[in-house]
Every structure is written in C-alpha cells, then in structure tokens.
Amino acid sequence: MTIPTPIHILNVPVHPVTYEDFLIIVGDYITQGHPRQICTANPEFVMTAQRMPEFLAVLQKADLVLPDGVGLLWAAKRLGRPLPERVTGSDGIYVLAERGAREGWRFFLLGARPGVAEKTASILCARYPGLQVVGTYPGSPDEKDYPEIARRIKSVHPDILLVAYGAPKQDLWIAAHKDDLHVPVSIGVGGAFDHVAGVRKRAPKLLIRLNLEWLWRLITQPWRWKRQLDLPRFVWQVIRYEHQHR
Ligand code: UDP
C-alpha cells in the first residue's frame, strides 16, 4: 500500500496509519526485501529530536514513523490533521506476532536484559502457534557488540528485527546497521519485551483509555521524571507553533 503523507509535528514526520495499515506495510516491506526502518514515536522522541540533530535525521529518514503516544494524537488534531489511532510498540508486538504466525514471518528479538527477549519469545510462541522466532539476544547498542550481533542475525535470515534498546539508542543503532544487516523490517520497540515478559507492568487498560499512560510511567518509574518534563515542554511548543502558523 502507499504510505500516507506524514504529518509533521515540530519537524518530526508521523504517519497517519492504523494497526491494520501497519501490518499491510510490514507485509509489503517483507515482500520487497530491502532494509526498512520503523520507529514508534511519542512526545519524548519529538523533544529529544529537537536537541539531537542526528536523531531528528533518523526520524526524518525512517520509512515509517508510528504514532505511539497519545500526545502525538493530541498535537496532530490541534494542527488540523488528526491521526486515526495510536499504534504502539507494546501492542504492536502482539498484532505483529499474530499476523506473523499466519504469514510465516521470521522474527529476531534483540535487546532488553538477559533472558527477557527469550521469555518474550516463549510467551508469544505459546500464544500464536506457528510463530517463528529465529533468534533472541540481549547484546548492547555498544559498537564492540556489533560483530557478534551481526553474526547471529545474519546466520538466521529474519524478516523482522525488533530492537529493544530504548530511544534514541535503538533507532540510531538501526539506522547505522540496517544496510549491513539487510533485514527487511527493523523496528525500535522500547520497553515492549519488558511488558510482554512481565518484567515491567504496563498501565492498566483504564488508564490507557483515559490517555494517562504517561502518568503510570511517572509513578512506576519515578527516575524518569526529568525525561517526562518533555511532555509539558512538548505541549507548550505545539501550542506556540500553532499560534505562529495560524
Ligand atoms: N535496554 C537495553 N540496553 C540498553 C538500554 C536499554 O537492552 O543499553 C533495554 C531495557 O532493558 C528495556 C528497553 O531497552 O527493555 C527499553 O528501555 P526504556 O524503557 O528506557 O525505553 P523506552 O520505552 O523509554 O523507549
């Protein structure tokens, strides 16, 4: 399918897609075969990109930027181009696994603490019979680990590489290595393995529905408060942008 024109939120392109579009696009990328990068963006991404030109460049060059983060839906609406729905890494991993089990897609799970990717793989394989996880490895985004990671990935020819090193590391890592690894689809999924494996609890459904997942993260990971200051900064900058461009 043709990728819809992105909406730019403070210079970061975000694609107005649904979960179903996402799955179709992933399928197309696998058929086409050349390496593509998908990012799961939220307001923290956008604010980090304002301070870090190399991260902004990666987001601008990514093949698909998913609206993971309710703040982006809010901003898009204010800027007059509403996004159809939130498409998150943490739910996206389940829908990908479900579709992948039917389509025969081969997954490699890279990152998170030792044992977490393996546990994620066994939970997903039990839930979606036929799912092919052809490799898991914690590794690290450190360059000294790259040769071993590349060796493991290249030997099993995955279709989809899920990378859980947190943003912006995972996205910079994918941009730097995707052409060498030659996996058709690489996606930075943040804390998604931790959520599937139950190492970290995702917000209760009610809070997610009330658009308060960010509040849950603040309470359960208080050390993130500095990073989360990006949320009010994001709101302020979007409002300022909107006033300047009226
Ligand atoms: N992580 C990792 N290596 C690193 C940094 C992070 O494997 O050098 C993993 C961490 O264990 C977690 C994931 O990256 O599973 C996401 O971390 P975080 O919650 O910071 O990312 P976010 O969801 O904010 O993008």
Side-chain angles (χ1 to χ4, degrees):
M1 81 176 248
T2 353
I3 313 274
T5 316
I7 163 160
H8 285 83
I9 301 176
L10 307 177
N11 290 323
V12 172
V14 181
H15 291 96
V17 290
T18 62
Y19 279 108
E20 187 50 36
D21 299 334
F22 165 53
L23 292 172
I24 294 170
I25 293 165
V26 166
D28 289 349
Y29 285 169
I30 292 172
T31 309
Q32 292 157 7
H34 33 269
R36 297 325 219 295
Q37 174 164 15
I38 301 180
C39 301
T40 51
N42 62 25
E44 274 180 22
F45 276 58
V46 174
M47 297 316 288
T48 306
Q50 311 300 303
R51 299 185 284 264
M52 200 196 242
E54 67 270 35
F55 185 43
L56 180 63
V58 165
L59 292 167
Q60 290 178 336
K61 266 193 256 151
D63 297 280
L64 188 65
V65 180
L66 299 173
D68 176 338
V70 71
L72 298 185
L73 270 76
W74 167 84
K77 204 164 160 192
R78 284 200 78 111
L79 301 172
R81 285 230 10 236
L83 292 158
E85 67 176 330
R86 227 182 130 192
V87 181
T88 70
S90 289
D91 289 327
I93 190 169
Y94 290 102
V95 299
L96 265 182
E98 185 191 27
R99 183 67 55 96
R102 275 194 272 147
E103 300 284 339
W105 295 341
R106 296 161 64 82
F107 290 78
F108 194 107
L109 273 45
L110 180 70
R113 300 246 170 88
V116 174
E118 272 161 288
K119 188 161 182 208
T120 302
S122 64
I123 289 170
L124 293 175
C125 288
R127 189 152 163 178
Y128 305 109
L131 179 68
Q132 295 185 61
V133 178
V134 295
T136 62
Y137 187 60
S140 93
D142 221 32
E143 276 315 295
K144 71 170 179 18
D145 273 15
Y146 183 67
E148 178 60 16
I149 294 174
R151 191 189 63 73
R152 286 172 183 254
I153 293 174
K154 287 176 183 176
S155 67
V156 291
H157 303 286
D159 298 306
I160 300 178
L161 173 63
L162 302 180
V163 185
Y165 287 145
K169 276 193 235 165
Q170 61 194 15
D171 308 282
L172 297 169
W173 187 93
I174 292 172
H177 299 300
K178 72 178 196 321
D179 290 336
D180 177 53
L181 292 171
H182 226 273
V183 177
V185 180
S186 296
I187 313 177
V189 293
F193 300 170
D194 291 357
H195 289 140
V196 176
V199 178
R200 194 198 292 165
K201 254 180 113 71
R202 189 145 183 236
K205 286 211 169 71
L206 179 67
L207 278 192
I208 297 179
R209 260 212 315 277
L210 292 173
N211 296 334
L212 291 174
E213 191 166 10
W214 58 272
L215 181 62
W216 173 262
R217 285 173 73 135
L218 188 60
I219 295 164
T220 56
Q221 300 171 258
W223 58 90
R224 293 174 69 112
W225 71 272
K226 254 197 184 149
R227 277 174 67 178
Q228 284 206 316
L229 281 181
D230 271 349
L231 208 57
R233 284 194 199 109
F234 172 78
V235 169
W236 166 243
Q237 290 226 10
V238 170
I239 293 173
R240 214 174 58 172
Y241 177 93
E242 194 195 340
H243 281 270
Q244 282 165 357
H245 293 81
R246 242 187 212 154

